[in-house]
Amino acid sequence: MKLGIVGLPNVGKSTLFNSLTKAGAESANYPFCTIDPNVGVVAVPDERLGLLSDMYHSAKVTPAVIEFVDIAGLVKGASKGEGLGNQFLANIREVDAIVHVVRCFEDPNVIHVDGSVDPLRDIETINLELIFSDLEILERRISKTVRGARNDKTLAKELELLERIKAWLEDGKMAISFTTDDEDEQGWLAEYNLLTRKPVIFAANVKEDDLADDGASNAHVQAVRKYAQEYGCEVFVICAEIEQEIAELDDDEKSMFLEDLGLTESGLEKLIKASYRLLGLISYLTAGETETRAWTIKKGTKAPQAAGKIHSDFERGFIRAEVVNYQDLLDCGAYATAREKGLVRLEGKEYVVKDGDVILFRFNV
């Protein structure tokens, strides 16, 4: 999974990226200090892996990972090449979802590019740039399609779709809220890779004082939540400065630090949960002496396709899956015991994999 971290300059975007990935992107109180997209790979925290590894005495533990891309600061006019706009827009096309950092704190020492704190205005600024960029893509596609549409029914149908989406965007609406039941149209939409079709998670960046009540008393956060609810986006509250401190601590110190702040999880954990929910992802597990590992798949994936995540041969030659629930396996203390109790099931090609399934695939190529 690849997430692009975006936001206007000085909203805490690079500070958040640094704390999430410990990758040390330069962070300063001026626009465009992040000129190249910085990339960091983060392990998805999953306590199940450690417990399974202990049971199997695994030589290696491999968690699922998320790739974060810190994308250069954006200003009005980015779609026309202002600031570092064109580069920003090219980098963001490659991500699965957008983490949009919005400033929800007042601080006279941190300059805001528009002179005041207003997260909804900031969201609107970035949305408009994404819309303008998508319109440019649609216009290029229209001029290419219009030539052949007179003599080709398929192209004529696509042209009609292009005109509908263009009108939708010109109305200030995001492509993610544009729906169609037509399979051809759904295929074309996916092909266009429109920025405004990407799912969005808002990171409401607050001061430390607003963390304990999860931003409930912060009017800016409430405004972002209301907006997100309307557009089917996720929101999580974070203090980028605190996350930076957490990043420097070991696990025991981190737990104590979070407890002192009245928190049960870090911002990274909140973000991962939000992104899994938004993208409809789950993890299944494989375990053995060689390796215990988490595999990320889409909710609703059937056993052969889940096996294909490990290797294409597993999917091609799929015979069956031996499946046991993680908690059942843990309670039994050993795979053999779980099997004796009838908790290990043999599942075929139609089995839909569930979060926390521990699976052994049987295949023959």
Side-chain angles (χ1 to χ4, degrees):
M1 174 164 52
K2 198 171 185 178
L3 301 177
I5 302 182
V6 306
L8 290 171
N10 299 337
V11 295
K13 180 174 64 68
S14 292
T15 307
L16 175 61
F17 173 80
N18 291 349
S19 59
L20 291 178
T21 63
K22 301 182 189 175
E26 186 189 347
S27 178
N29 183 20
Y30 57 85
F32 313 130
C33 61
T34 315
I35 292 173
D36 294 312
N38 291 270
V39 179
V41 177
V42 178
V44 174
D46 192 337
E47 61 176 14
R48 301 174 297 192
L49 291 175
L51 296 167
L52 276 179
S53 171
D54 291 345
M55 183 189 289
Y56 281 88
H57 308 292
S58 305
K60 184 180 171 190
V61 176
T62 308
V65 295
I66 293 180
E67 193 175 309
F68 287 105
V69 185
D70 180 27
I71 294 163
L74 184 67
V75 291
K76 276 178 191 160
S79 57
K80 303 281 181 265
E82 291 291 322
L84 298 165
N86 291 334
Q87 191 174 326
F88 163 94
L89 296 164
N91 292 327
I92 203 174
R93 287 201 188 278
E94 300 163 17
V95 303
D96 298 307
I98 296 167
V99 179
H100 186 162
V101 184
V102 284
R103 179 171 163 177
C104 295
F105 66 88
E106 304 281 350
D107 186 340
N109 298 316
V110 181
I111 306 149
H112 190 289
V113 285
D114 287 327
S116 63
V117 175
D118 181 347
L120 294 188
R121 179 199 58 212
D122 295 354
I123 289 168
E124 195 65 23
T125 298
I126 285 188
N127 282 354
L128 279 173
E129 295 311 318
L130 301 184
I131 285 171
F132 291 146
S133 177
D134 281 351
L135 282 169
E136 209 174 293
I137 281 180
L138 292 174
E139 277 157 11
R140 282 205 299 271
R141 186 87 177 207
I142 286 168
S143 65
K144 221 166 72 176
T145 310
V146 78
R147 290 195 290 272
R150 291 187 197 89
N151 306 314
D152 186 319
K153 281 184 181 175
T154 306
L155 286 178
K157 183 179 176 181
E158 186 188 354
L159 182 60
E160 194 265 331
L161 170 70
L162 287 162
E163 296 287 7
R164 273 176 24 237
I165 309 169
K166 184 169 174 274
W168 186 267
L169 294 178
E170 284 171 343
D171 208 19
K173 292 184 280 203
M174 309 289 273
I176 200 161
S177 58
F178 180 93
T179 54
T180 173
D181 295 327
D182 186 288
E183 280 185 26
D184 290 339
E185 292 189 344
Q186 287 169 355
W188 288 321
L189 272 173
E191 207 180 293
Y192 305 151
N193 194 19
L194 298 173
L195 298 176
T196 59
R197 276 196 90 223
K198 292 189 184 292
V200 176
I201 304 163
F202 290 108
N205 190 14
V206 299
K207 286 286 190 191
E208 183 185 328
D209 302 349
D210 287 326
L211 276 179
D213 71 351
D214 202 33
S217 53
N218 182 314
H220 294 313
V221 173
Q222 293 314 309
V224 174
R225 281 197 170 122
K226 190 178 172 190
Y227 177 92
Q229 196 173 7
E230 200 178 325
Y231 291 96
C233 306
E234 287 278 344
V235 181
F236 72 104
V237 173
I238 198 165
C239 173
E241 286 179 352
I242 291 292
E243 287 302 311
Q244 208 160 26
E245 289 181 47
I246 290 172
E248 304 304 320
L249 305 173
D250 63 33
D251 287 348
D252 290 340
E253 289 174 324
K254 187 175 94 170
S255 300
M256 286 168 65
F257 185 67
L258 287 170
E259 205 175 304
D260 289 345
L261 289 169
L263 304 173
T264 55
E265 57 188 356
S266 70
L268 174 61
E269 288 160 328
K270 283 187 196 175
L271 172 53
I272 287 168
K273 281 181 184 171
S275 54
Y276 268 60
R277 275 195 308 271
L278 190 68
L279 295 170
L281 301 175
I282 59 168
S283 292
Y284 75 87
L285 313 163
T286 54
E289 282 184 22
T290 311
E291 182 184 44
T292 290
R293 183 163 180 166
W295 303 88
T296 303
I297 55 170
K298 281 265 189 195
K299 211 177 277 185
T301 300
K302 291 183 178 178
Q305 288 70 47
K309 286 289 283 186
I310 299 173
H311 197 286
S312 56
D313 283 353
F314 282 34
E315 182 175 355
R316 202 154 44 92
F318 179 88
I319 300 169
R320 65 177 182 273
E322 293 182 16
V323 184
V324 59
N325 173 270
Y326 156 79
Q327 195 57 55
D328 288 343
L329 178 56
L330 211 63
D331 293 343
C332 289
Y335 192 81
T337 312
R339 178 175 267 154
E340 281 166 24
K341 290 188 174 182
L343 295 170
V344 178
R345 309 182 310 278
L346 295 181
E347 301 287 2
K349 291 182 177 179
E350 292 305 307
Y351 177 68
V352 175
V353 175
K354 295 175 182 65
D355 187 60
D357 277 349
V358 181
I359 306 180
L360 175 63
F361 292 108
R362 301 289 183 194
F363 72 103
N364 181 34
V365 176

